[in-house]
Amino acid sequence: MSQFIQLHLLTAYPPSNLNRDDLGRPKTALVGGTERLRVSSQSLKRAWRESDLFEDAMGEWKGIRTKRFGNDVYNHLITKGVKEKDAEKWAEKIVSKFGKVEAHKTFKAYMSQLVHIAPEEQQAAVALADLVAAENREPTDKEVELLRQRPKAVDIAMFGRMLADSPDKNVEAAVQVAHAITVNPVKIEDDFFTAVDDLNKHDEDAGAGHMGEAGFGSGIFYLYLCINKTQLMDNLQDEALVNQAIQALVETAAKVSPTGKQNSFASRAYTSYLLAEKGMQQPRSLSVAFLKAVKGDDPMSAAIGALEMQRERFDAVYGACADAQHSMNAQKGEGSLSAILQFVAE
């Protein structure tokens, strides 16, 4: 049986456009018959992985997600004195197990799909490039078997890796992240803006140098995460690293905002309420608490109350849905993030 850590976060954002659709407008979802703002799990995970906070905590154990790694290997071979034709051929072979290589007008050994590559896999590829450059020969088929079955990269261990051509090197994700949705109904508004040409500022007839529109909305977002600690332990094989990774993820989720339109809206927000639960029980989201949109003059307090009531009602009909829980409430100044970080790592 797995040990699960479940996180429930309520975060209020001012007018913002955190995650855009194909038209550049905020993403939405219809929930309980009312329109809500939405931030995709892909957007959240990207913001967390690339944040300074996560980098500082886990940078040594963080992989890269790229199509261009083969080009780095090619350039490394060139710096070692390998001829261009050989460097391209050898680089393609070195990265061939990471993904299918296709022609590209700019990059050499360009992979057709994004591949998540662990630090030790990157190091092994560079070491192989050094070896074949020193010996002036093509790498063997055995030497290019560089993928690891259990790579020691926390982001791969948490969010998984799928390799169509090397399924035995796939990694089962240990962390599930829901799309964040607002607990309140929303209306997408348009910000009409103009920009003045500085060199025309004294010309009364010049008008605006540029005009445009930007969609935005605001609301309180509910976010749910489920961490399968047993799976994470199986992926990383290192209990200390597992606990460090969980703490880094929880702190990042509580503090780091999606990056969409940050320069235009400065929509940085800390989580106002965080509930963490641990147990062996089957996980469940508490999103049903917000099937009916929250309204009123104090929506954050109403949202916290609805979430806590839904947890109690689930416990009443199903029995305890977690063995232990810990919360913090910035609205009331109760609890602390440091206490939750200690709780999730125990």
Side-chain angles (χ1 to χ4, degrees):
M1 182 68 77
S2 299
Q3 179 186 353
F4 297 102
I5 299 170
Q6 299 181 81
L7 304 173
H8 310 269
L9 299 90
L10 291 170
T11 309
Y13 283 95
S16 57
N17 188 346
L18 301 171
N19 189 200
R20 285 166 278 175
D21 64 15
D22 57 337
L23 300 177
R25 297 177 66 77
K27 288 187 176 180
T28 60
L30 194 65
V31 179
T34 58
E35 187 175 34
R36 318 290 180 91
L37 292 175
R38 175 174 64 91
V39 177
S40 72
S41 58
Q42 296 92 328
S43 173
L44 291 165
K45 288 184 284 189
R46 171 71 178 175
W48 298 339
R49 284 184 62 246
E50 294 300 305
S51 69
D52 291 339
L53 195 158
F54 195 81
E55 179 69 27
D56 290 344
M58 306 304 309
E60 180 184 359
W61 305 102
K62 190 164 75 76
I64 57 170
R65 193 165 178 250
T66 183
K67 294 182 177 182
R68 302 181 183 182
F69 182 58
N71 193 71
D72 288 350
V73 175
Y74 166 82
N75 288 331
H76 187 73
L77 288 167
I78 292 294
T79 64
K80 295 294 181 178
V82 178
K83 296 178 181 178
E84 289 186 12
K85 186 175 181 180
D86 287 338
E88 183 173 1
K89 182 180 179 182
W90 298 355
E92 287 184 3
K93 187 164 185 179
I94 289 172
V95 301
S96 62
K97 294 298 181 179
F98 293 96
K100 184 179 179 182
V101 175
E102 64 178 22
H104 193 277
K105 62 181 180 181
T106 304
F107 302 107
K108 304 295 185 181
Y110 188 77
M111 291 177 283
S112 59
Q113 291 184 323
L114 286 169
V115 181
H116 215 150
I117 306 172
E120 68 266 36
E121 293 168 339
Q122 299 169 50
Q123 294 161 10
V126 172
L128 178 56
D130 287 338
L131 176 64
V132 297
E135 297 181 356
N136 193 29
R137 64 172 178 83
E138 181 178 337
T140 67
D141 292 343
K142 184 176 181 180
E143 286 174 326
V144 298
E145 295 287 347
L146 301 175
L147 286 167
R148 303 291 193 264
Q149 193 163 23
R150 287 189 175 88
K152 217 162 189 179
V154 294
D155 47 350
I156 295 177
M158 289 191 293
F159 304 130
R161 177 171 75 179
M162 198 282 284
L163 298 164
D165 295 331
S166 303
D168 59 319
K169 302 301 190 299
N170 288 348
V171 178
E172 184 72 21
V175 178
Q176 298 170 342
V177 182
H179 289 225
I181 58 167
T182 53
V183 304
N184 54 286
V186 298
K187 178 183 178 182
I188 305 300
E189 300 181 73
D190 290 303
D191 175 31
F192 173 76
F193 63 90
T194 63
V196 177
D197 187 323
D198 288 348
L199 297 183
N200 283 339
K201 61 185 177 182
H202 299 301
D203 186 348
E204 295 181 358
D205 299 321
H210 173 76
M211 295 186 295
E213 297 184 337
F216 68 91
S218 66
I220 299 168
F221 285 81
Y222 168 69
L223 172 61
Y224 171 72
L225 294 83
C226 179
I227 303 169
N228 184 332
K229 189 172 183 179
T230 303
Q231 181 67 56
L232 192 58
M233 183 65 197
D234 185 59
N235 289 349
L236 291 174
Q237 302 288 303
D238 184 330
E239 186 174 2
L241 183 59
V242 165
N243 288 328
Q244 184 183 351
I246 290 173
Q247 289 182 316
L249 176 64
V250 174
E251 183 173 5
T252 304
K255 291 182 175 180
V256 173
S257 304
T259 57
K261 288 283 188 178
Q262 279 292 350
N263 290 341
S264 298
F265 292 101
S267 49
R268 299 186 182 275
Y270 276 14
T271 288
S272 292
Y273 178 87
L274 197 165
L275 169 65
E277 302 176 299
K278 295 194 302 186
M280 310 297 282
Q281 298 87 336
Q282 177 68 27
R284 85 283 179 260
S285 166
L286 295 175
S287 61
V288 69
F290 308 112
L291 198 58
K292 180 180 179 180
V294 171
K295 299 178 181 179
D297 296 333
D298 189 4
M300 179 60 77
S301 295
I304 294 170
L307 189 147
E308 291 181 339
M309 182 179 296
Q310 187 60 57
R311 177 179 60 82
E312 292 170 3
R313 288 175 174 175
F314 270 142
D315 285 354
V317 297
Y318 285 104
C321 297
D323 297 327
Q325 59 92 20
H326 203 92
S327 65
M328 71 172 198
N329 185 338
Q331 286 290 98
K332 295 182 177 180
E334 297 174 348
S336 68
L337 180 59
S338 60
I340 287 180
L341 296 180
Q342 181 178 348
F343 172 76
V344 297
E346 290 173 344

